[in-house]
Amino acid sequence: MTIDFHSEVKTSFNRAAKSYDAHAFTQNIIGQRLIERLQLVTTPFQHILDAGCGTGHFTKILRSQYPKSQVVSIDLAYNMVQKASKNKSSWLQRKPHVVNGNIAHLPFQDNSFDLIFCNLAIHWTKIEDTLTEFKRILKPEGMLSISLPGPDTLCELAQTYEIIDPFSHVNQFYDMHDVGDELQKLQFQNAVVDMEKITFEYTSVWSLLKDLKMTGVRNIHPNRRRHLSAKSRLDQLIKAYPKNAIQKYPMTFEVIYGHAICPQKSTSTSSLRIPLRVI
């Protein structure tokens, strides 16, 4: 399973904050599909959390889609939070409420939210910790809506690197059964977990690698190479990377979507948790 290298992940996304929006095509496509699934739900959401909000792209969309709701967003990377805090909805002209914090240790009271929206963030954490926290802060009958990459994500990159050296260059990802099992363990109701594969096409391997780097995607595999790859190894990668029928370089994302309802819970007396930084 993916290991939570907390400080490495935070550093990577802090560095990517300035470049993220210009390169987050993949993240935006997947997040938009998650938003579209929410549009099938007629239940009103009074309090919404955008968990792992990045620069606030989907916080803005959620505020637009649910104008009568209070939308709060949280992200591990402080630089991302700074950008998200400036991402106002022009028609609202209200500063968003953005918190700097870890989604695996959320600084919110129990039963605080009617909806948690989490696009491509859970896989940077231990899934059992994060889903437990999501259950804690969701109100009974509140909705959880998540997306995360599955095991075949970046399969072309992983398979090409296997030809070059013995190290792992792509993270291990949870599969659909892991997600379903964790939701079941936590007694989430009406859980629906499904998967699709989306293939993006690039004109060069360099542009593919650049999009990954500029959006903070980092290899935290335990078997990863501990120093930078030599230019000769990157040249080998470019030469060996497969092209498709139209001479483009494919990048596959296996996307897992999960939707579930929070069960009824026993009365909790846990105290208020205060975030370290609120922007």
Side-chain angles (χ1 to χ4, degrees):
M1 288 300 96
T2 304
I3 297 175
D4 182 14
F5 291 94
H6 181 274
S7 61
E8 292 187 43
V9 172
K10 181 165 62 173
T11 297
S12 185
F13 281 104
N14 271 322
R15 288 174 178 169
K18 289 183 179 179
S19 58
Y20 186 88
D21 288 332
H23 295 270
F25 178 78
T26 299
Q27 291 83 351
N28 290 347
I29 288 289
I30 294 169
Q32 187 57 44
R33 296 192 182 195
L34 193 60
I35 287 282
E36 289 168 0
R37 289 164 181 248
L38 275 178
Q39 291 172 351
L40 301 174
V41 180
T42 57
T43 304
F45 304 115
Q46 189 174 5
H47 298 96
I48 299 172
L49 177 67
D50 182 4
C53 66
T55 59
H57 176 79
F58 287 104
T59 301
K60 186 175 180 179
I61 291 174
L62 288 166
R63 295 176 78 201
S64 176
Q65 185 163 317
Y66 303 103
K68 295 182 180 180
S69 304
Q70 180 190 53
V71 182
V72 178
S73 50
I74 185 169
D75 200 271
L76 179 66
Y78 181 68
N79 292 348
M80 290 284 192
V81 166
Q82 283 190 310
K83 288 201 72 174
S85 68
K86 299 172 184 176
N87 198 355
K88 295 180 181 179
S89 299
S90 58
W91 60 276
L92 285 172
Q93 291 300 314
R94 287 192 289 114
K95 188 175 180 180
H97 184 185
V98 189
V99 176
N100 181 210
N102 186 350
I103 63 172
H105 302 283
L106 289 162
F108 305 114
Q109 287 183 310
D110 297 358
N111 308 322
S112 295
F113 296 96
D114 303 291
L115 168 66
I116 296 176
F117 175 92
C118 184
N119 181 46
L120 298 179
I122 290 179
H123 61 291
W124 297 115
T125 70
K126 293 180 180 179
I127 190 170
E128 58 270 28
D129 293 346
T130 302
L131 289 181
T132 298
E133 278 291 86
F134 284 174
K135 178 184 176 182
R136 180 183 67 78
I137 67 167
L138 271 173
K139 298 175 185 178
E141 300 188 3
M143 173 167 280
L144 176 65
S145 183
I146 61 176
S147 68
L148 61 159
D152 279 344
T153 296
L154 304 178
C155 58
E156 299 90 355
L157 188 62
Q159 291 164 7
T160 305
Y161 262 121
E162 285 177 1
I163 302 170
I164 299 170
D165 65 32
F167 295 98
S168 298
H169 293 266
V170 172
N171 293 319
Q172 289 178 292
F173 298 109
Y174 298 106
D175 67 25
M176 192 164 62
H177 301 291
D178 295 322
V179 179
D181 288 348
E182 290 300 330
L183 290 172
Q184 186 175 33
K185 283 180 190 177
L186 292 168
Q187 301 181 324
F188 276 91
Q189 306 298 309
N190 302 328
V192 177
V193 180
D194 64 307
M195 177 273 289
E196 69 170 335
K197 289 186 179 180
I198 308 173
T199 300
F200 302 90
E201 296 177 337
Y202 285 83
T203 57
S204 73
V205 178
W206 280 115
S207 59
L208 184 158
L209 295 174
K210 185 177 182 180
D211 272 1
L212 293 175
K213 180 180 179 180
M214 294 299 180
T215 53
V217 175
R218 182 187 183 95
N219 179 17
I220 57 174
H221 196 290
N223 187 43
R224 69 194 186 279
R225 182 180 287 277
R226 300 292 172 162
H227 51 79
L228 293 175
S229 295
K231 185 180 183 301
S232 59
R233 193 169 288 107
L234 292 175
D235 289 340
Q236 285 180 278
L237 173 70
I238 292 169
K239 186 176 180 179
Y241 201 100
K243 289 183 180 180
N244 61 19
I246 58 172
Q247 299 300 298
K248 295 289 181 68
Y249 297 93
M251 181 183 74
T252 297
F253 256 73
E254 178 184 338
V255 188
I256 298 169
Y257 301 98
H259 301 271
I261 302 299
C262 186
Q264 295 293 326
K265 296 177 283 186
S266 58
T267 303
S268 173
T269 58
S270 59
S271 59
L272 174 66
R273 302 189 180 194
I274 305 299
L276 294 177
R277 295 188 180 99
V278 180
I279 301 300

